[in-house]
Amino acid sequence: MLRKRRRALDAARPDAAQAAAAALPLEALPAFEWFASYHAVGSELDPAPLAARLVKAGGRLALPVTLAADAPLIFRAWRAGDEPQIDAFGVPTPPASAPQVTPSLVICPLLAFDKAGGRLGRGGGHYDRTIAALRAAGPVFMLGLAYAGQEVDALVMEPHDQRLDAILTENGYTELRKD
């Protein structure tokens, strides 16, 4: 049902990615050098306009790489003109020769979110494991990118689930965590 909803939102709002990128108040983000984006799969909101805006503002782009089904993601530097490789899940990623980096801002795809920072992803736990590992090493800001219509009243969270710090949609930016 949530995938069907996202597909309908994707079809109804072809301008949503540009609108979301324009709606981000850059001053609301914590300072960062490296940020991680993602390659949109299916009807996920395309992060390319947002990534381009963050690069233009001085950020350095990294993309996730899945090495194994039960492992945290790693992030590799990405530059325009790089020849993508395909990771363990068939997603285009930076080449293996690209340096591995540690982002302090991570843009996360999602299937649903709530105002408490709950995030429902694809179900593999990759972002939960990854964000937990990053947060154990230092501060990291988790920005969910979604269509406004992906919001639900409440998600059931398990102890290992990592909450979003903020959400960005075509309708604007909302901080979610205050801890």
Side-chain angles (χ1 to χ4, degrees):
M1 177 174 92
L2 292 171
R3 282 181 174 77
K4 184 177 179 180
R5 179 193 301 181
R6 187 175 66 190
R7 282 191 301 272
L9 292 165
D10 183 51
R13 287 295 312 260
D15 63 331
Q18 290 289 348
L24 178 66
L26 293 174
E27 67 279 0
L29 298 177
F32 65 93
E33 176 183 2
W34 285 98
F35 74 94
S37 188
Y38 60 91
H39 179 86
V41 175
S43 60
E44 292 174 343
L45 187 54
D46 182 6
L50 176 58
R53 182 162 181 230
L54 293 173
V55 166
K56 186 175 180 181
R60 299 176 72 186
L61 174 60
L63 293 175
V65 178
T66 305
L67 298 176
D70 59 350
L73 302 166
I74 65 165
F75 297 96
R76 290 191 182 133
W78 176 259
R79 293 180 316 265
D82 280 349
E83 184 67 33
Q85 294 183 339
I86 304 302
D87 74 4
F89 283 87
V91 178
T93 66
S97 61
Q100 186 173 332
V101 300
T102 302
S104 55
L105 168 63
V106 178
I107 302 166
C108 300
L110 50 91
L111 190 57
F113 68 94
D114 65 24
K115 290 289 187 192
R119 173 189 170 272
L120 179 62
R122 294 174 129 199
H126 290 99
Y127 275 91
D128 291 318
R129 284 189 294 278
T130 302
I131 299 301
L134 288 172
R135 285 181 170 157
V140 64
F141 192 84
M142 194 167 163
L143 176 63
L145 181 62
Y147 298 94
Q150 289 178 257
E151 183 179 352
V152 297
D153 289 335
L155 291 169
V156 176
M157 301 292 288
E158 296 181 23
H160 67 274
D161 290 333
Q162 296 293 307
R163 292 193 179 274
L164 298 167
D165 294 294
I167 188 77
L168 179 64
T169 74
E170 73 278 17
N171 292 343
Y173 172 87
T174 305
E175 287 189 31
L176 302 173
R177 286 175 43 125
K178 296 291 185 189
D179 57 21

